[in-house]
Amino acid sequence: ENIFRQILAKGIQESAFSVLPVQSKSGKQYNLTWYSELTFSNDRTTGTILTGVHTKEPSTTESNTLLQVAARGQAVLDNAAEAIINIGADGIITDVNKATETIFGYQASELIGHNIRCLMPEPDRGQHDHYIKRYLETGEKRIIGTGREVTGRKKDGSAVILELHITEINVHGKRSFTGVARDVSERNFARQQLKIKTEELHQTRERLAHMDRLHIASEMATGMAHELNQPLAAIAMYAQACRRLLESGKSDTKLLLDTLSHIDNQAQRAGTVIRNLRAMVNKQTPEHQPEDINVLIKNTIELALTGIDTQQVTIDCRLSATVPRIDIVYTQIQQVLLNLINNAHDALSDSPILDKRIVVSSSSDTTHVKVSVADNGDGITSKHAADIFTPFFSTKDADKGMGMGLAISRSIISDHQGVLELNTQYKFGAEFVFTLPIKSSLEDQHAGQ
Ligand code: ADP
């Protein structure tokens, strides 16, 4: 600390020189000869350059040591991987190290005494004198003291990308600049490659996202066709019934009105399906309302019966009276249930069994409401069981099944935080079960907070 104080006190007038001991890791002491010089910027001391030299033979004279310091300093400069270039305030190169020759392809002798601008491409080449002049006049720093990436110009005219740091040195009032330039062309090349790769990756991801959107759009179109099929088929059936009634001339006004209101209901349902799908496209969540699942089951069975020959197939309804109301999108859960009942009916139509039966039941525990649709058809082979929820998997004729029903149903139930599964333990045919969470009032309170 004392030495530094002395150096500071001496200021720019004199360079400091002293012999001081240092201790090595092993505890051994050496005398080092320290040569110190202050660096200035705008007449403010910015630091010191301190060189310590260990000589085996204790130095006898100051000049002897200074020579050694110079030699050591040159060795350091020459072994540096960076080009180290000193210029005067007039931009003329006063000193370069070996790496400068390697990086720029010039001999030191071709550079010393020449203006530093020979190592720059345009526009810096034509502007550099002006840069130095402006700095000397205004002290306004653009590059001094901060590292930055610049382009250098080699002897053969080619460009080299450099990371350049410039320090101003003020010795005895004489201002000069030292530039330390590292060749980062390779690092830059790697960075550019990385940029290209990242760009490619980005494009691939965009393409995939686009494909994904196409896929979703196609699934949605299929889903929409599937969901609209049922109300449209029902409307057509009711309309035919009306026509038959009118044609027969025995038109019973009450029956006609009933059938027309069925048409109305089905048209409303189709409208809701479209509204829900539109909400899905707009990323709005269709509104969840507290609903009584037993009422939903009864209404859906009524709907399903319009397409079922009740002479052939019976639908049993076993509902638990204690099932709580749950927050659902009514038409979506109805869609799921209708799909399951229709699948059960399809399975039974192909079956030779006499007492064809579909059982729809509801139950609940403390956390979930459970709905099951079971039939006594042929069931599902373990080979098919793994595929039935996959979109477009169907064992039905093309005009009867698209293979979307279970896939859509499962995604609707999972959107409701529930689970739709095939009960693989069921031995009398096929049973599909879905569970939906009961939101406790406590959770509602939390959600509202
Ligand atoms: P789709 O009914 O259009 O074929 P789904 O996704 O609803 O599409 O059903 C996929 C397949 O699952 C059906 O083709 C059928 O092989 C099988 N499946 C669904 N429900 C039953 C059932 N209750 N009994 C037997 N097989 C069924």
Side-chain angles (χ1 to χ4, degrees):
E1 199 181 336
N2 277 337
I3 302 258
F4 279 112
R5 277 188 208 290
Q6 280 170 24
I7 298 168
L8 285 170
K10 283 181 190 164
I12 59 167
Q13 300 308 317
E14 225 178 293
S15 299
F17 167 83
S18 55
V19 178
L20 275 179
V22 290
Q23 183 168 301
S24 74
K25 192 179 172 188
S26 62
K28 210 167 164 193
Q29 288 210 350
Y30 299 94
N31 273 337
L32 289 198
T33 308
W34 296 97
Y35 178 80
S36 316
E37 191 142 1
L38 292 180
T39 61
F40 294 91
S41 172
N42 291 344
D43 289 341
R44 258 191 58 238
T45 312
T46 52
T48 63
I49 299 169
L50 189 66
T51 320
V53 179
H54 174 224
T55 44
K56 288 221 173 72
E57 315 237 325
S59 57
T60 46
T61 63
E62 182 177 326
S63 62
N64 190 6
T65 311
L66 285 178
L67 270 178
Q68 292 196 28
V69 166
R72 297 263 166 161
Q74 196 57 49
V76 171
L77 292 179
D78 285 345
N79 284 308
E82 292 89 1
I84 302 174
I85 306 168
N86 288 319
I87 61 167
D90 52 3
I92 302 298
I93 299 172
T94 54
D95 201 8
V96 298
N97 68 343
K98 282 253 182 320
T100 310
E101 297 181 329
T102 320
I103 292 176
F104 291 94
Y106 284 100
Q107 293 296 310
S109 57
E110 294 176 284
L111 291 171
I112 293 167
H114 289 86
N115 195 298
I116 183 76
R117 62 174 177 245
C118 66
L119 298 179
M120 299 168 190
E122 293 295 356
D124 291 341
R125 193 183 182 93
Q127 291 292 312
H128 195 255
D129 284 349
H130 168 67
Y131 294 159
I132 302 185
K133 193 162 166 269
R134 186 183 54 205
Y135 171 65
L136 292 174
E137 279 167 15
T138 64
E140 187 196 330
K141 289 181 181 171
R142 298 273 167 104
I143 184 168
I144 293 171
T146 53
R148 82 153 66 154
E149 218 168 85
V150 297
T151 308
R153 185 177 186 273
K154 296 191 192 184
K155 187 177 177 181
D156 62 9
S158 62
V160 54
I161 311 294
L162 304 163
E163 191 183 284
L164 176 68
H165 292 258
I166 299 180
T167 321
E168 184 185 357
I169 297 181
N170 195 333
V171 181
H172 308 315
K174 202 171 157 214
R175 298 169 84 168
S176 62
F177 302 93
T178 299
V180 180
R182 179 193 295 256
D183 182 350
V184 291
S185 307
E186 251 175 54
R187 187 182 77 186
N188 252 44
F189 180 72
R191 205 190 285 160
Q192 255 168 17
Q193 289 296 101
L194 192 74
K195 207 170 142 207
I196 293 169
K197 280 265 163 313
T198 317
E199 187 68 22
E200 276 175 12
L201 213 69
H202 186 71
Q203 279 171 5
T204 312
R205 210 179 295 148
E206 290 262 286
R207 267 204 303 278
L208 279 177
H210 180 66
M211 272 165 61
D212 209 31
R213 278 198 293 278
L214 277 182
H215 179 71
I216 291 169
S218 92
E219 268 201 24
M220 275 191 40
T222 320
M224 192 156 150
H226 184 268
E227 292 202 26
L228 287 179
N229 236 359
Q230 286 158 346
L232 288 178
I235 288 171
M237 195 192 76
Y238 286 127
Q240 278 162 20
C242 285
R243 210 176 70 202
R244 272 200 302 276
L245 273 173
L246 288 169
E247 277 170 358
S248 70
K250 297 179 273 177
S251 63
D252 172 340
T253 314
K254 173 152 186 332
L255 194 57
L256 259 179
L257 282 175
D258 267 1
T259 319
L260 281 171
S261 81
H262 278 312
I263 292 182
D264 192 16
N265 283 342
Q266 292 297 319
Q268 303 266 8
R269 201 176 136 227
T272 319
V273 167
I274 291 172
R275 266 195 304 283
N276 285 347
L277 274 162
R278 202 182 284 153
M280 241 161 85
V281 174
N282 293 339
K283 297 232 181 317
Q284 292 163 4
T285 352
E287 222 174 297
H288 287 238
Q289 302 276 3
E291 305 280 0
D292 183 337
I293 202 91
N294 286 345
V295 170
L296 182 146
I297 293 174
K298 281 189 220 149
N299 288 344
T300 313
I301 290 177
E302 199 185 315
L303 206 61
L305 284 174
T306 59
I308 286 178
D309 179 357
T310 44
Q311 299 289 321
Q312 299 278 327
V313 180
T314 326
I315 301 189
D316 276 353
C317 195
R318 296 181 195 159
L319 306 178
S320 151
T322 55
V323 169
R325 290 171 89 84
I326 45 172
D327 274 353
I328 51 169
V329 181
Y330 187 92
T331 49
Q332 289 189 348
I333 302 301
Q334 185 174 46
Q335 183 65 45
V336 173
L337 192 56
L338 203 57
N339 275 336
L340 296 179
I341 295 173
N342 284 341
N343 274 347
H345 180 248
D346 286 348
L348 289 170
S349 332
D350 299 337
S351 164
I353 195 167
L354 289 178
D355 180 22
K356 297 177 177 176
R357 205 164 278 277
I358 300 172
V359 182
V360 183
S361 54
S362 71
S363 61
S364 65
D365 57 21
T366 50
T367 54
H368 288 85
V369 164
K370 186 160 126 182
V371 177
S372 140
V373 179
D375 64 70
N376 56 351
D378 292 343
I380 296 166
T381 59
S382 53
K383 183 170 154 265
H384 285 159
D387 297 320
I388 53 170
F389 289 100
T390 310
F392 305 113
F393 173 85
S394 179
T395 55
K396 297 173 194 172
D397 293 341
D399 58 333
K400 276 191 138 190
M402 274 193 278
M404 283 304 291
L406 287 176
I408 293 172
S409 299
R410 182 170 254 185
S411 80
I412 290 176
I413 296 294
S414 97
D415 281 350
H416 280 74
Q417 269 82 51
V419 179
L420 167 63
E421 281 173 325
L422 169 72
N423 177 4
T424 49
Q425 308 300 315
Y426 194 73
K427 296 283 177 280
F428 315 103
E431 184 188 28
F432 286 87
V433 178
F434 64 85
T435 54
L436 293 165
I438 303 166
K439 248 174 133 195
S440 72
S441 56
L442 199 70
E443 271 177 276
D444 277 335
Q445 279 167 23
H446 283 309
Q449 277 169 7

